[in-house]
Amino acid sequence: MRARLIDFSRRGFLGGALGSTLVGTGSLLAAPQLRAGEDTLRFEHAYGETVLKAPARRVVSLGYTTQDSLLALGIVPQAIRYWYGDYPHGVWPWAQPLLGEATPALMTGEVSIETVAGLAPDLIVAIGSGISEAEYALLSQIAPVLMQAPEYPTYGMPWDAELLMIARATGTEAKAEALIASVADGFAAFRDRHPDWQGQTAACAAHDGGQTSAFTGGDARVQFLQEMGFRQPQALEAISSADGFYTALSPEDLSPLDADLLIWLSSQAKAADLASLAMRRTLRANAEGREVFCGEVLAGALSFGSVLSMPFALAQLEPELIAALDGDPSTAVPSAAKAGLL
């Protein structure tokens, strides 16, 4: 399961796997496996096959971030699975406008089969939920259950493939395709605005409880940087964690983070801990004023890696990156200054 970004537990890093989703320019992933029968929709997934007789309207969202896909498609879930963050109904700021006056139930902790049954959904979206096959079997007695496509790990279904799968299950394919095109256009326009940044190195890291970690190539946050045109430092590329989306660093050697741009994911409440990290001072990005600090909301947006959170993150980060990469070490990066990193 996924949880707080900066909790260095499995839950804390699942956002990375989940979003291993951004894809290279012009290479949006293929649609999830789906077959259309004469009067049914069939979805092959990690636990078998799910059949829908018609597009669903009453949907429970059990994936830790699938509420974003549903809301983007105009489907307000009956219930939402809580991941982290203190936001109404588990909906983060970038998606709140799409929630309107709706008040979906918020489910915390393990999935309550009884609660789901009480909502009488006609579809349960459990992509990236981490439910077991036994739970899937139970839930399937209530309503059809969508899981991640079989070729992806539990938390690794690409955002656009997830969106397309949910769209086909809800009869909103045209909207999904337009959303995917819009996100791709946003990144393309960003790259056009900043040709000098293309090919520069960038690292995304977190520091919590005395442990510094870096996100690696399979992670949504790294993929986001790549969509902006940055590449990972070779030292980070050479470090591959077992699950492929983050690696813990030695407190005595942060050199894998040595990059043209260094983005810290944390929260303002924990900024002092990061500011006191002595070895941070050995990094080139620190010496040259090219550190950017992401507080809870922006870090969450990068961790969600969803169709809604990525445009939000792109808009929030751009002015920070302009300050960090202007070539003048004396230019204060607003977020780094506020976090006490200067």
Side-chain angles (χ1 to χ4, degrees):
M1 58 187 290
R2 301 176 58 190
R4 299 187 66 89
L5 167 71
I6 53 177
D7 290 342
F8 291 91
S9 61
R10 174 162 177 73
R11 185 173 180 171
F13 283 105
L14 291 178
L18 175 87
S20 50
T21 39
L22 283 178
V23 292
T25 306
S27 61
L28 291 173
L29 296 174
Q33 296 182 33
L34 176 150
R35 302 196 310 269
E38 291 183 356
D39 56 359
T40 60
L41 294 170
R42 295 177 179 273
F43 300 83
E44 294 179 6
H45 56 68
Y47 290 155
E49 184 181 59
T50 290
V51 179
L52 290 176
K53 294 181 179 179
R57 291 293 177 268
R58 295 172 55 83
V59 183
V60 166
S61 177
L62 293 187
Y64 286 104
T65 62
T66 46
Q67 66 269 35
D68 273 17
S69 290
L70 286 162
L71 289 167
L73 294 170
I75 308 290
V76 177
Q78 295 175 288
I80 289 172
R81 184 91 171 276
Y82 177 81
W83 180 20
Y84 78 100
D86 186 19
Y87 303 100
H89 309 289
V91 176
W92 283 61
W94 52 82
Q96 279 288 338
L98 296 174
L99 185 62
E101 300 300 320
T103 57
L106 185 61
M107 297 180 290
T108 60
E110 299 302 317
V111 174
S112 168
I113 305 297
E114 183 178 9
T115 297
V116 176
L119 294 168
D122 52 24
L123 177 67
I124 299 168
V125 175
I127 301 167
S129 66
I131 64 170
S132 67
E133 194 161 2
E135 290 174 311
Y136 165 80
L138 280 174
L139 289 165
S140 295
Q141 296 179 40
I142 300 170
V145 181
L146 280 187
M147 301 298 299
Q148 59 279 357
E151 62 267 38
Y152 302 119
T154 299
Y155 303 104
M157 188 166 182
W159 69 272
D160 48 353
E162 172 193 300
L163 189 69
L164 286 171
M165 177 183 272
I166 295 173
R168 290 185 172 118
T170 56
T172 54
E173 297 98 320
K175 190 160 190 175
E177 290 167 0
L179 287 166
I180 290 169
S182 177
V183 172
D185 288 347
F187 279 114
F190 179 94
R191 292 190 295 270
D192 288 344
R193 289 195 296 274
H194 304 290
D196 294 343
W197 299 353
Q198 304 308 299
Q200 292 196 28
T201 57
C204 194
H207 179 76
D208 186 58
Q211 176 64 61
T212 305
S213 296
F215 296 99
T216 56
D219 178 72
R221 288 148 279 216
V222 175
Q223 302 271 350
F224 184 92
L225 294 177
Q226 292 171 342
E227 282 291 330
M228 291 194 292
F230 296 100
R231 60 182 175 85
Q232 223 178 2
Q234 288 187 348
L236 266 186
E237 287 184 346
I239 301 173
S240 178
S241 59
D243 56 13
F245 61 91
Y246 88 99
T247 186
L249 300 176
S250 166
E252 298 177 351
D253 182 14
L254 301 184
S255 62
L257 298 179
D258 204 19
D260 296 317
L261 173 69
L262 177 54
I263 296 180
W264 292 103
L265 273 62
S266 185
S267 66
Q268 201 62 41
K270 296 185 177 181
D273 187 30
L274 175 59
S276 65
L277 178 62
M279 292 302 291
R280 189 174 58 84
R281 302 294 178 185
T282 67
L283 298 173
R284 188 162 48 96
N286 174 267
E288 298 176 4
R290 288 183 277 103
E291 291 177 291
V292 172
F293 181 85
C294 296
E296 181 176 276
V297 174
L298 184 51
L302 292 171
S303 301
F304 263 66
S306 75
V307 63
L308 297 178
S309 73
M310 289 186 295
F312 174 89
L314 196 63
Q316 296 289 313
L317 272 176
E318 187 167 7
E320 296 287 329
L321 269 55
I322 289 172
L325 297 173
D326 70 347
D328 182 357
S330 68
T331 301
V333 177
S335 62
K338 183 179 179 181
L341 303 188
L342 303 183

